[in-house]
Amino acid sequence: MKKIVDPQRIEDKSFKIIEGLLADLNLPKEQKEVVKRVIHATVDLDYARGLIFHPCAIEAGLAALRTGKNIVTDVNMVKVGIRREILSGFGGAVACLINDQEVVQSSSQSGYTRAAISMRKAHQLMDGGIVAIGNAPTALFEVCDLVRKGKARPALIIGVPVGFVGAAESKKELITLPVPFITNQGGKGGSSVAVAIVNALLKMTEVKGE
Amino acid sequence: MKKIVDPQRIEDKSFKIIEGLLADLNLPKEQKEVVKRVIHATVDLDYARGLIFHPCAIEAGLAALRTGKNIVTDVNMVKVGIRREILSGFGGAVACLINDQEVVQSSSQSGYTRAAISMRKAHQLMDGGIVAIGNAPTALFEVCDLVRKGKARPALIIGVPVGFVGAAESKKELITLPVPFITNQGGKGGSSVAVAIVNALLKMTEVKGE
């Protein structure tokens, strides 16, 4: 068997397969691009109908990326998966404060998760930018709280934490916020899903900018 | 609603739910621990019956960790998710060469994926250690090839790459090797799955060492 080893050919063939699988999915073109990247990263067709987009989500995300705003993530797995070579071309950066000295200390004193406390500490970095949460429901609850209190003003919240405790509930809270979001129903999610959504948007900045 | 914010309570409650869901799953205790961590990380019950263990996989993995052997990963998302505070206590380290200068250069010259070439470069680091592949089928194919040629001698291969092209096929090749493995059927997988398996083993070194 001759294996395909060329990265571009692998990706092209994958997307052809995914497009076949999603032929009947009726979504705006750009939302569908995001869905395709998520399914490419998970091989989980639940995301075909499971992802939920605020109507302005794509537009808000692209504007934030193109104007060099920050991306704040809950965990380092999300941070390192983001294609920073495109982001840094616009002047943007990715911040994850989960291992920040103050955050670690405050977590062990308060009993709150480091992910939640890191959101509080990063609230100013979120201004006009993107928050991408792929792991911790407590981080998403905290961002919702910061937005409600007027302490954080992100342009887009990507909220796909994973788990049996709090993940689904935090997403239900997210979709009531007056802020563009991309999320999904239920407890599924994860770092790979958050990364796929961010990278789909980054890829769109390249195509649409031409 | 009072939210649970304490990380230990969240984890305890999650595992209670997962144990309820897996009550009927008949597996050796340590394999079941791995399955539980994977389901905790994915909320995907396909992994309850989808994971495949070589009979010596757990034993081989624990021995490698306890003797301070390396873990070689295909992507940085896997590397940063591994609980290095336990690993480094045994003297072990995690290596990911995907951004290595030579690897990047050789990839652009040869047309092979960086992930595959990084495995070739890391072959000596694998000696007696663990290879954890959560993303690239081409990396798993390459490791299979290195093992067959006697150029790599890992103690355990965790092979859970994801995708529509090559992922399922690379896993079929893995289970024919004369080396302990943990893998799954089909194209599902991902960095979070690889990380959950490694961290389940790391957690076992703590419990079983007492």
Side-chain angles (χ1 to χ4, degrees):
Chain A
M1 180 184 65
K2 187 83 192 92
K3 287 159 207 150
I4 308 179
V5 294
D6 173 54
Q8 196 54 54
R9 277 191 58 207
I10 295 172
E11 182 160 321
D12 292 348
K13 190 173 169 192
S14 298
F15 275 85
K16 213 162 194 175
I17 294 169
I18 295 166
E19 273 154 28
L21 292 168
L22 301 186
D24 293 338
L25 188 68
N26 193 9
L27 274 182
K29 184 171 171 289
E30 277 130 3
Q31 292 184 13
K32 202 164 176 176
E33 283 305 310
V34 174
V35 171
K36 280 194 270 182
R37 287 251 147 220
V38 170
I39 290 175
H40 179 248
T42 58
V43 185
D44 187 341
L45 289 169
D46 280 4
Y47 290 106
R49 287 182 170 79
L51 286 178
I52 310 169
F53 296 83
H54 181 284
C56 306
I58 305 282
E59 199 179 341
L62 293 180
L65 293 174
R66 289 212 177 98
T67 53
K69 298 298 191 295
N70 297 306
I71 302 177
V72 175
T73 72
D74 60 338
V75 291
N76 279 308
M77 281 184 73
V78 176
K79 180 178 173 179
V80 302
I82 292 172
R83 293 182 57 182
R84 268 178 287 182
E85 73 280 11
I86 308 179
L87 185 66
S88 59
F90 293 114
V94 187
C96 174
L97 303 187
I98 196 160
N99 289 328
D100 176 276
Q101 208 64 46
E102 257 181 44
V103 169
V104 174
Q105 204 174 352
S106 165
S107 168
S108 68
Q109 284 166 357
S110 66
Y112 276 73
T113 65
R114 285 190 290 149
I117 293 171
S118 77
M119 290 295 127
R120 224 174 290 164
K121 180 153 184 184
H123 73 104
Q124 283 178 322
L125 296 174
M126 297 173 188
D127 255 18
I130 297 176
V131 179
I133 294 174
N135 186 294
T138 54
L140 185 51
F141 277 127
E142 186 64 38
V143 172
C144 291
D145 205 45
L146 289 165
V147 168
R148 279 197 207 290
K149 289 176 177 161
K151 289 182 184 166
R153 280 171 292 274
L156 170 66
I157 302 172
I158 297 169
V160 288
V162 64
F164 291 94
V165 178
E169 295 83 346
S170 66
K171 293 164 188 174
K172 277 186 192 160
E173 191 164 330
L174 171 60
I175 62 175
T176 68
L177 290 187
V179 169
F181 58 78
I182 301 174
T183 184
N184 70 311
Q185 286 178 310
K188 279 192 183 178
S191 300
S192 306
V193 178
V195 165
I197 295 170
V198 173
N199 285 344
L201 293 172
L202 279 167
K203 214 159 165 66
M204 270 179 235
T205 63
E206 288 184 316
V207 177
K208 293 193 75 179
E210 280 167 4
Chain B
M1 179 184 67
K2 185 86 189 90
K3 286 161 209 147
I4 309 180
V5 293
D6 173 53
Q8 196 54 55
R9 278 191 56 208
I10 295 172
E11 182 161 319
D12 292 348
K13 190 173 170 191
S14 298
F15 276 85
K16 215 163 191 172
I17 294 169
I18 295 166
E19 273 154 27
L21 293 168
L22 300 186
D24 293 337
L25 188 68
N26 193 10
L27 275 184
K29 184 170 170 289
E30 278 130 3
Q31 292 185 13
K32 201 163 176 176
E33 282 306 310
V34 174
V35 171
K36 281 194 271 181
R37 285 255 147 218
V38 170
I39 291 175
H40 180 248
T42 58
V43 187
D44 186 341
L45 288 170
D46 280 2
Y47 290 105
R49 287 182 170 79
L51 286 179
I52 309 169
F53 297 82
H54 181 284
C56 306
I58 305 283
E59 200 180 340
L62 292 181
L65 294 174
R66 288 212 178 99
T67 53
K69 299 297 189 297
N70 297 307
I71 302 176
V72 174
T73 71
D74 60 337
V75 291
N76 279 309
M77 281 183 73
V78 177
K79 179 178 174 178
V80 303
I82 292 172
R83 293 182 56 184
R84 268 178 286 182
E85 72 280 11
I86 309 179
L87 184 66
S88 59
F90 293 113
V94 187
C96 173
L97 303 187
I98 197 161
N99 289 329
D100 175 275
Q101 208 65 45
E102 258 180 43
V103 169
V104 174
Q105 206 174 350
S106 164
S107 168
S108 69
Q109 283 165 359
S110 66
Y112 277 73
T113 65
R114 286 190 291 149
I117 292 169
S118 77
M119 291 294 126
R120 223 173 293 166
K121 180 154 185 184
H123 73 105
Q124 285 179 320
L125 296 173
M126 296 173 186
D127 255 17
I130 297 175
V131 178
I133 294 174
N135 187 293
T138 54
L140 185 52
F141 277 127
E142 187 62 39
V143 173
C144 292
D145 205 43
L146 289 166
V147 168
R148 280 196 207 289
K149 290 177 178 162
K151 289 183 184 164
R153 280 170 292 273
L156 170 67
I157 301 172
I158 297 168
V160 288
V162 65
F164 291 94
V165 178
E169 294 83 349
S170 66
K171 293 165 188 174
K172 277 186 191 160
E173 192 164 331
L174 171 61
I175 62 175
T176 68
L177 290 187
V179 169
F181 57 78
I182 301 174
T183 184
N184 70 311
Q185 289 178 308
K188 279 191 183 180
S191 300
S192 305
V193 178
V195 164
I197 294 171
V198 173
N199 285 343
L201 292 173
L202 280 167
K203 217 162 163 63
M204 270 178 232
T205 63
E206 288 184 316
V207 177
K208 292 193 77 184
E210 281 170 4

